[in-house]
């Protein structure tokens, strides 16, 4: 199972290699659409020289990004990998599956949330300008003002607080997020590019 974690490089992002790609299909997932193409041989190291490498991009201005999966594995794994590379899959998974157990997102209230047995609480000041989060086996922690300003929607703030204050949460749900991406990918449509 691949763990998708953000990486940071203080020296600046490495230059993205420009790939020579021959488009052959348009992959549509929901309202998003991507070009899929075959990467010219010799540009990317692979264990099996006979294995075809494919890449995707959103539009002609976006650089091609190589994929680990290819059509030999089927379109669902390809579409799931594209999903994981183009959106915050963990955030979307939490947003779709978290359940409010009690309380409300209103100022002066506390809300208790659960995600398949992983529980956390969020409470708000009376003016709604401050919040605190409590994860399992922790005390209340102040949610920083930057996060409060970025997520005015309190439901989105609850998701962001969970992800910020539980940096290893991706390890807890990595298999579930992978399975969820594969389920979403089942609705993908593929059209050949002529």
């Amino acid at each position: 199972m691949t763990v998708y974690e953000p990486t940071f490089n203080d020296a600046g992002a490495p230059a993205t290699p420009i790939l020579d790609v021959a488009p052959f299909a348009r992959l549509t997932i929901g309202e998003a659409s991507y070009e899929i193409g075959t990467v010219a041989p010799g540009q990317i190291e692979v264990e099996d020289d006979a294995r075809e490498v494919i890449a995707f991009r959103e539009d002609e201005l976006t650089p091609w990004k190589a994929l680990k999966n290819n059509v030999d594995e089927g379109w669902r794994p390809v579409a799931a990998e594209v999903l994981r590379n183009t959106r915050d899959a963990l955030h979307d998974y939490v947003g779709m599956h978290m359940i409010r157990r009690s309380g409300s997102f209103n100022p002066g209230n506390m809300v208790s949330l659960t995600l398949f047995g992983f529980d956390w609480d969020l409470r708000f000041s009376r003016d709604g300008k401050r919040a605190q989060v409590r994860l399992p086996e922790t005390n209340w922690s102040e949610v920083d003002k930057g996060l409060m300003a970025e997520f005015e929607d309190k439901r989105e703030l609850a998701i962001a607080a969970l992800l910020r204050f539980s940096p290893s949460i991706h390890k807890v749900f990595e298999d579930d997020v992978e399975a969820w991406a594969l389920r979403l990918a089942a609705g993908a449509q593929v059209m050949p590019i002529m």
Side-chain angles (χ1 to χ4, degrees):
M1 175 55 53
T2 304
V3 176
Y4 297 92
E5 291 187 69
T7 56
F8 301 94
N9 182 351
D10 292 333
T16 304
I18 297 174
L19 299 175
D20 180 18
V21 178
F24 67 87
R26 177 151 304 281
L27 174 69
T28 303
I29 307 168
E31 294 184 19
S33 188
Y34 310 92
E35 273 186 293
I36 305 293
T38 305
V39 177
Q43 294 186 73
I44 296 176
E45 289 185 39
V46 290
E47 291 178 19
D48 179 4
D49 290 336
R51 180 178 165 85
E52 182 177 71
V53 177
I54 62 173
F56 78 97
R57 68 179 179 184
E58 291 183 55
D59 54 47
E60 292 181 8
L61 301 176
T62 307
W64 289 96
K65 181 170 176 144
L67 295 166
K68 293 179 177 129
N69 290 298
N70 71 20
V71 291
D72 292 343
E73 286 90 27
W75 280 105
R76 278 182 74 183
V78 170
E81 186 177 354
V82 169
L83 280 172
R84 289 189 309 270
N85 277 285
T86 57
R87 54 199 279 191
D88 185 343
L90 179 58
H91 172 275
D92 292 351
Y93 173 82
V94 172
M96 185 174 282
H97 294 92
M98 78 176 187
I99 297 171
R100 182 178 55 86
R101 295 183 307 145
S102 65
S104 72
F105 289 102
N106 297 323
N109 287 305
M110 182 180 94
V111 62
S112 293
L113 303 152
T114 188
L115 181 66
F116 298 113
F118 188 94
D119 302 331
W120 75 106
D121 302 309
L122 194 65
R123 66 183 178 189
F124 303 97
S125 64
R126 290 194 189 281
D127 62 6
K129 294 182 180 180
R130 296 177 63 194
Q132 293 180 326
V133 64
R134 179 175 60 191
L135 298 174
E137 300 177 19
T138 68
N139 292 322
W140 289 101
S141 298
E142 185 85 17
V143 176
D144 64 82
K145 291 181 183 184
L147 204 60
M148 291 289 297
E150 184 178 349
F151 297 99
E152 290 182 23
D153 179 314
K154 302 304 187 224
R155 187 175 184 285
E156 286 295 317
L157 178 66
I159 298 167
L162 171 67
L163 299 180
R164 170 85 51 91
F165 286 88
S166 183
S168 63
I169 194 75
H170 68 278
K171 292 178 185 173
V172 175
F173 290 104
E174 68 183 326
D175 291 338
D176 296 329
V177 171
E178 177 74 20
W180 173 76
L182 282 167
R183 285 193 307 274
L184 285 182
Q189 295 178 341
V190 181
M191 297 293 294
I193 294 176
M194 302 292 180

